Amino acid sequence: MNAVAMLSAVLFTSSLAAAQTPPGAILATTREDTSVQADGSSAGTPLPVPVDDSPQTLIGPDGFLRQAGWYVAPTFGMTGIDGHPGYFTGLRGAFVMNRTFGIGLAASGFGWDVMRSDSPTSSVDRRIAGGYGGLLLQYNVASDRLVHGFVDTTIGGGAACYDGHDANRWESCQSATAFFVFEPSANVEVNVTRFMRVAVGAGYRLALTDTMNKGLGTSDLGGPLARANLEFGQF
């Protein structure tokens, strides 16, 4: 009988406490418990920030190479040869990194044809022609702008020779003169379309020949130049 009386007293006390608890408190407690169960943390504890543990890469949004482009450009213009104006043509192409740095190849040809009157009875034709090529390095400034600029340089080598003709015979190009070339230039470029650009610029061709060579010299092959580029590619 004592056990039955004690159990009855416990049930009566629990029922009395539940009746005195407001319904809003019970609902708030239930919502708080549900929140704790949903996010796995207690109230007021900040959630952990996810950590990016992806590996570093050379190519990608966070890598060194974020954007890659290329272009191929025929060129034409004028250049100085032996102190006289001559023609200038070429072809160049480059791989452009992040729309800023370009590295590629360039090939150019030049020539000059003139008649000299050495005496009233004799005339001399002299024709100089040559070509060169090498490594092309380029740096673009604000290439996303409609009008912008870039500087470049060609480092390489080439060869040239001349033909001479007088009243009696021709002296054709029997031996070419080899030379080292360093050709920097500054250019202004216009974005015509997404795949075409036009550039005009000026520079100087420094051509170094063998000092023991009796043919064409450094002063004959070096000189200023002005050219236009018509560029096609993915910029």
Side-chain angles (χ1 to χ4, degrees):
M1 295 295 295
N2 293 333
V4 175
M6 291 178 62
L7 181 59
S8 300
V10 172
L11 293 176
F12 177 77
T13 303
S14 299
S15 301
L16 183 62
Q20 294 178 354
T21 303
I26 299 176
L27 182 59
T29 305
T30 304
R31 288 179 177 176
E32 183 178 356
D33 295 340
T34 303
S35 176
V36 171
Q37 294 175 0
D39 58 23
S41 61
S42 60
T45 303
L47 296 175
V49 179
V51 178
D52 185 9
D53 57 351
S54 58
Q56 294 182 345
T57 59
L58 179 64
I59 302 174
D62 298 327
F64 171 76
L65 183 58
R66 299 182 301 275
Q67 197 275 343
W70 59 272
Y71 74 87
V72 176
T75 66
F76 56 91
M78 298 183 64
T79 183
I81 307 173
D82 193 21
H84 300 273
Y87 68 85
F88 177 88
T89 60
L91 181 67
R92 56 180 48 204
F95 172 75
V96 183
M97 298 173 287
N98 302 329
R99 295 190 174 96
T100 303
F101 301 98
I103 181 170
L105 298 173
S108 303
F110 59 90
W112 167 64
D113 193 357
V114 70
M115 177 179 290
R116 294 180 178 178
S117 298
D118 294 337
S119 67
T121 60
S122 175
S123 63
V124 176
D125 293 335
R126 191 183 187 201
R127 181 171 59 234
I128 298 177
Y132 58 93
L135 177 67
L136 173 65
L137 301 175
Q138 180 177 337
Y139 180 78
N140 300 320
V141 180
S143 63
D144 292 337
R145 299 290 183 88
L146 175 63
V147 180
H148 55 275
F150 68 87
V151 292
D152 63 13
T153 184
T154 301
I155 305 173
C161 60
Y162 68 90
D163 297 336
H165 176 256
D166 58 19
N168 298 320
R169 61 188 178 88
W170 276 94
E171 293 182 358
S172 60
C173 180
Q174 298 180 356
S175 62
T177 300
F179 59 91
F180 167 81
V181 65
F182 176 73
E183 184 182 272
S185 68
N187 306 265
V188 176
E189 190 174 55
V190 179
N191 299 342
V192 181
T193 67
R194 291 184 178 273
F195 60 87
M196 187 181 78
R197 297 182 176 185
V198 175
V200 293
Y204 188 88
R205 181 180 60 260
L206 177 62
L208 301 178
T209 63
D210 187 359
T211 56
M212 301 300 294
N213 180 44
K214 296 182 180 180
L216 296 171
T218 298
S219 60
D220 298 323
L221 301 177
L225 61 93
R227 69 163 180 259
N229 304 340
L230 190 58
E231 303 171 357
F232 301 93
Q234 179 179 347
F235 301 97

